[in-house]
């Protein structure tokens, strides 16, 4: 549906009789569906690739004694993003996207 078009299509096309109690839903409450609708299939694949690469780098960073705590914190925040994102918005807000990219940068091998 494209960037930030979910609310318009939901109100015009997808609003079912049982969902009339929530007519102004602004985003899908699931990170996978939200990324798929906003960025398409390539966006979903890119996001999953980023998360898998992050987990691999975080595992290697956990072996470094001086950076272990940093990797553990980044892993925890990313796990929270994915779990919370299964029931609410977890990426497409400026502050949440910033925290996601910060967590990815903290476990960089360089």
């Amino acid at each position: 549906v494209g960037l930030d078009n979910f609310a318009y299509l939901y109100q015009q096309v997808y609003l079912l009789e049982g969902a009339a109690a929530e007519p102004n839903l602004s985003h899908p409450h699931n990170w996978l569906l939200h990324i798929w609708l906003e960025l398409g299939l390539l966006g979903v694949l890119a996001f999953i690739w980023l998360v898998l690469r992050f987990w691999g780098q975080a595992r290697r960073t956990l072996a470094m004694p001086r950076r272990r705590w940093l990797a553990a914190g980044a892993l925890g925040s990313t796990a929270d993003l994915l779990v919370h994102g299964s029931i609410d918005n977890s990426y497409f807000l400026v502050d949440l996207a910033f925290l996601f990219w910060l967590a990815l940068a903290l476990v960089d091998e360089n």
Side-chain angles (χ1 to χ4, degrees):
V1 297
L3 292 174
D4 206 25
N5 285 327
F6 176 81
Y8 305 112
L9 287 176
Y10 177 73
Q11 292 171 355
Q12 296 171 1
V13 179
Y14 298 111
L15 188 60
L16 302 174
E17 290 293 322
E22 190 67 50
N24 296 319
L25 193 62
S26 64
H27 61 276
H29 288 69
N30 182 301
W31 66 265
L32 182 61
L33 180 60
H34 200 174
I35 291 172
W36 185 13
L37 292 174
E38 299 272 337
L39 303 175
L41 185 58
L42 287 177
V44 171
L45 293 175
F47 187 81
I48 291 172
W49 177 79
L50 279 171
V51 170
L52 292 175
R53 184 174 165 99
F54 164 77
W55 283 340
Q57 286 182 343
R59 250 186 57 225
R60 288 188 290 279
T61 306
L62 282 172
M64 300 176 190
R66 300 188 76 194
R67 296 185 65 195
R68 180 175 295 147
W69 63 273
L70 201 56
L75 279 167
S77 70
T78 305
D80 176 60
L81 175 125
L82 295 173
V83 170
H84 180 78
S86 66
I87 57 171
D88 198 9
N89 196 359
S90 66
Y91 180 80
F92 286 99
L93 297 172
V94 174
D95 51 349
L96 297 176
F98 173 78
L99 292 175
F100 172 75
W101 289 104
L102 179 64
L104 263 61
L106 288 176
V107 298
D108 189 22
E109 294 174 355
N110 296 330

